[in-house]
Structures are given as C-alpha cells and as structure tokens.
Amino acid sequence: MKSYFTSESVTKGHPDKVADQISDAILDALLKEDPYSRCAAETTVEKDHCHIMGEVTTKAHVDYSSIARETIKSIGYTDPSLGFSDQSEISVTLHTQSPDIALGVDSDGAGDQGLMFGYATDETESLMPLSLMLSRALTERLTFLRESKTLSWMEPDGKSQITLLYEDGVPVAVDTVVVSIQHKADMELEDLRMEVMEKVIKQTLPSSLLTDKTKYFINPTGRFVLGGPAADTGLTGRKIIVDTYGGHAHHGGGAFSGKDSTKVDRSASYAARNIASTIVKSGLYKKAEVQLSYAIGVKDPVSIHVDTFGVERIPEERLVKWIRNEWDLSPKGIIETFSLRDPVFSKTASSGHFGHAGFSWEKIDDKKVEHLLSIS
C-alpha cells in the first residue's frame, strides 16, 4: 500500500524561530546566574521591533535587551534595510511569576496541568522520522551556506518541506521537495534555483531516495526578498511541530522555548521522548509514542499511556509499570535526571528539540533497555 507523508522545517531566521531563540537565550542567561530561576519568557518580533513579555522569578541580574540584540545579531539580522535587525527597537514587560502557580512548584509539583507526548521510530539512527530529518537537513544546509558566505545572496529567512512516499509503511522515495529562501533583490531566479538544486538539495538528500519522478519547488512564488519579522510577525512557540516530530506524533499543545523545566510542557516532553526512544532502542517495536499527563501542584503524572502502533509484545499495563519503576517522572526527578537546571536550551531553539546527540534526553540508558527486554 502506498501513502505519503510531509514534514517541514524552518531556518534560524524564520520569524517564529527568531522569537524562540530570544526566549531561550533569556532562559539560559538566567540559569547561568541562578539555576533555580523560574522563567516563562515570550517574545514577539515584527518590523523594526522586538517585544519580550512573560513571567520571571530569579536572583539573576541580566540585561534582557542586550540578550535580544546579541541573539538577533547571531542569527544574521544585522542590516537595518531588511526591516528588522539588531538595531531594532526592543521593549520588555516581564513580571514575577504568579504566587498561586508558585505554590504548586515550591512543593516540587508540576507547574501546570497538561499532556505531553514523546515519540521515536526506527526510520533513522537518531530514532526520528525521516521526513523531518531530511527537511531539517535542508534548512541546516541553507544556514551553513549563508553563514559561511558560500552563497552570499541568501538572507536569514527560509523554509523547507519534504514529502516521502511510503510503501507498506516503509519510506522508499522522496516525492516532493520544497525550498523557499529569502534572497537579495538582485539575485536572478534561474540562478537561485540552480544553486539551491546543486549546492543544497543534491548535497543533502540521499541520491537513493531521489527519482525521476521527484518534484522540486524552489522559491515557487518567484520572489522572496522581503522576509523575516519585517514581512511576518514571529511569536515564541508557534513552530511546535517543527520543534518536535514533524507531524508524525500527537502534540499536547504546549510550547517549549522560554520555559524553565518546572514547566512540564517542556521537561515532561523531554522525558517522554527518552522513554519512547528506550522502547524503540530495545528492538521490540519499530515505533512508540508515550503520553504523560499532569495536574498542577501534583508531583507524579496522573496518567501514562503507551502506543506501540498495533504491535503488542508486552501488555500496556506492564509497559506502564516498567516506566514508573525506571523513571522518576516528577518535575524534580526529570530535572535531576536530565540536568535541566543547566543553561542548555539555546541550542534547542533553532533546529528542533529532538534527534540531536548532544542533548541529555537523547541519551538512552542501556540498563533500562535490558530491564525492558527482561519482561518481554
């Protein structure tokens, strides 16, 4: 049976990703000075303006505007003629966390109610969906060629999209490639398309997956000069599918960036990913999805659900018992297990929160795998 599935990714200069990176840069700056900082920093960016809002309770003293400017500069928005740059106006209206929320967090409970999902699949070595990893590879390649000035006509904003053809649930070919990249006004469309094809697509996507039927859409509107926050307002947390599994898994709706790890939107999603990866790493299942749900102020998850997509080697009840035995899923336990008081979050904000080897929640404990195999 044939089927198709599409995932997208965006570059660091996409307006929503600019907002995510500013929010997480603020979080990291706070954690460097005060590891117990409480932070829910939201950022919005638009033409010639950046606004930072939300709740922060901390002993740290940081210059929020300077952090925003340095982040914007590092992304590549340094030319005021783009309509947004490190010289744009910045405003800040952060305030302290609600004492009512703090009541639950102070007792080591969850900082909010909600449901979080983790997912893993054996489609790739990173246990991530192939369509997302290919689209991500394209945007990372675009960013590399821009930052290295190999393609000097590129500007920071851009997107990619990959549609895979599946046969009997196995990805066999790339059906469609979409790349849109912001460019300088004097760049000819034919030259742009040729360079993206030769230096991005062909250098990134496995030739074994490209066929004579693969379709390519490169800057399909024909012009992408006005881009970034000057063209489209950006907001923290609006790329949650790009940040996670490219649409292959459920999503609880909570965003990650700018939130410290007492917020289970973030920390429990990382834990759920680690659990799902451990399940797939065992070899018992080709893919797995784990749902955790919490009540505000309550330490342990109120429910755990595991979906192994029709493969029932171990009853779900036994899988859930194994999970509860192997992981401390209280917010405090998750934070300690994955060292989430460290300032590690800026790296998550530009190219996805999962599938990167350097992240602590991507490391699989072999003993947990052995314990799972022992009950199978």
Side-chain angles (χ1 to χ4, degrees):
M1 184 180 70
K2 291 185 178 181
S3 61
Y4 299 86
F5 199 92
T6 301
S7 295
E8 74 161 345
S9 294
V10 299
T11 64
K12 296 196 315 186
H14 184 281
D16 295 329
K17 278 288 121 194
V18 172
D20 285 342
Q21 289 167 88
I22 292 171
S23 291
D24 269 339
I26 287 170
L27 172 60
D28 276 357
L30 295 173
L31 292 175
K32 284 177 184 176
E33 289 192 28
D34 178 7
Y36 291 88
S37 294
R38 305 265 177 84
C39 179
E42 307 283 351
T43 303
T44 184
V45 291
E46 60 176 334
K47 188 177 188 301
D48 287 327
H49 189 83
C50 166
H51 180 62
I52 301 164
M53 55 195 161
E55 303 84 45
V56 169
T57 300
T58 183
K59 296 178 181 178
H61 300 280
V62 301
D63 186 335
Y64 299 111
S65 294
S66 293
I67 292 168
R69 291 192 192 283
E70 285 302 312
T71 304
I72 294 166
K73 180 179 179 180
S74 72
I75 293 168
Y77 284 110
T78 57
D79 182 357
S81 70
L82 292 175
F84 180 80
S85 74
D86 56 339
Q87 301 304 308
S88 294
E89 181 183 359
I90 296 176
S91 56
V92 181
T93 55
L94 290 164
H95 56 85
T96 57
Q97 184 184 59
S98 161
D100 297 343
I101 295 175
L103 283 173
V105 180
D106 289 343
S107 60
D108 294 330
D112 201 355
Q113 72 174 50
L115 51 143
M116 300 82 206
F117 290 90
Y119 178 80
T121 171
D122 67 357
E123 284 184 4
T124 63
E125 289 186 5
S126 62
L127 305 182
M128 290 289 285
L130 181 60
S131 57
L132 177 64
M133 296 307 283
L134 292 178
S135 66
R136 179 188 292 178
L138 288 173
T139 54
E140 289 177 343
R141 177 71 175 169
L142 289 168
T143 296
F144 169 76
L145 293 174
R146 176 180 61 82
E147 292 181 342
S148 66
K149 303 189 186 303
T150 303
L151 296 181
S152 58
W153 52 264
M154 283 187 179
E155 299 291 7
D157 195 2
K159 286 185 173 184
S160 68
Q161 187 170 287
I162 291 287
T163 301
L164 286 182
L165 167 64
Y166 284 77
E167 291 184 358
D168 298 324
V170 178
V172 297
V174 173
D175 179 78
T176 306
V177 181
V178 182
V179 175
S180 295
I181 183 68
Q182 185 184 9
H183 59 89
K184 297 186 185 302
D186 60 357
M187 184 61 182
E188 294 292 335
L189 180 60
E190 288 186 10
D191 292 337
L192 181 153
R193 287 175 171 167
M194 182 273 294
E195 291 211 277
V196 170
M197 176 63 75
E198 296 299 323
K199 297 180 180 179
V200 180
I201 295 172
K202 290 184 178 180
Q203 296 295 319
T204 303
L205 301 182
S207 58
S208 60
L209 292 175
L210 301 177
T211 73
D212 56 2
K213 295 182 179 180
T214 301
K215 300 178 285 292
Y216 302 92
F217 297 95
I218 302 171
N219 279 34
T221 66
R223 183 177 172 85
F224 188 3
V225 173
L226 182 61
D232 186 13
T233 299
L235 180 66
T236 298
R238 206 157 54 183
K239 282 292 172 283
I240 57 177
I241 301 303
V242 171
D243 281 343
T244 53
Y245 307 104
H248 284 264
H250 290 93
H251 197 294
F256 303 156
S257 290
K259 295 179 181 177
D260 75 272
S261 294
T262 63
K263 279 75 174 175
V264 283
D265 280 343
R266 181 169 217 156
S267 53
S269 295
Y270 293 175
R273 161 65 176 174
N274 189 256
I275 297 167
S277 296
T278 303
I279 291 171
V280 173
K281 187 68 174 180
S282 73
L284 295 173
Y285 305 95
K286 295 183 69 65
K287 55 184 177 179
E289 183 182 74
V290 174
Q291 184 202 58
L292 306 175
S293 66
Y294 289 82
I296 188 168
V298 179
K299 293 182 181 180
D300 295 322
V302 298
S303 73
I304 300 174
H305 171 68
V306 183
D307 185 356
T308 52
F309 301 89
V311 178
E312 298 182 356
R313 299 185 187 278
I314 303 172
E316 182 180 351
E317 183 179 347
R318 287 168 62 191
L319 273 175
V320 170
K321 183 177 180 181
W322 166 76
I323 291 169
R324 289 191 182 275
N325 287 338
E326 297 289 339
W327 281 268
D328 180 350
L329 293 174
S330 66
K332 181 180 179 181
I334 295 171
I335 289 168
E336 291 178 352
T337 298
F338 301 110
S339 302
L340 298 182
R341 295 202 189 281
D342 295 341
V344 298
F345 299 107
S346 292
K347 292 182 289 185
T348 69
S350 62
S351 192
H353 295 247
F354 307 112
H356 298 284
F359 297 158
S360 59
W361 49 93
E362 293 293 311
K363 298 175 182 176
I364 298 172
D365 186 338
D366 291 337
K367 290 184 179 180
K368 288 181 169 60
V369 175
E370 292 173 7
H371 293 165
L372 177 58
L373 290 171
S374 72
I375 66 170
S376 64

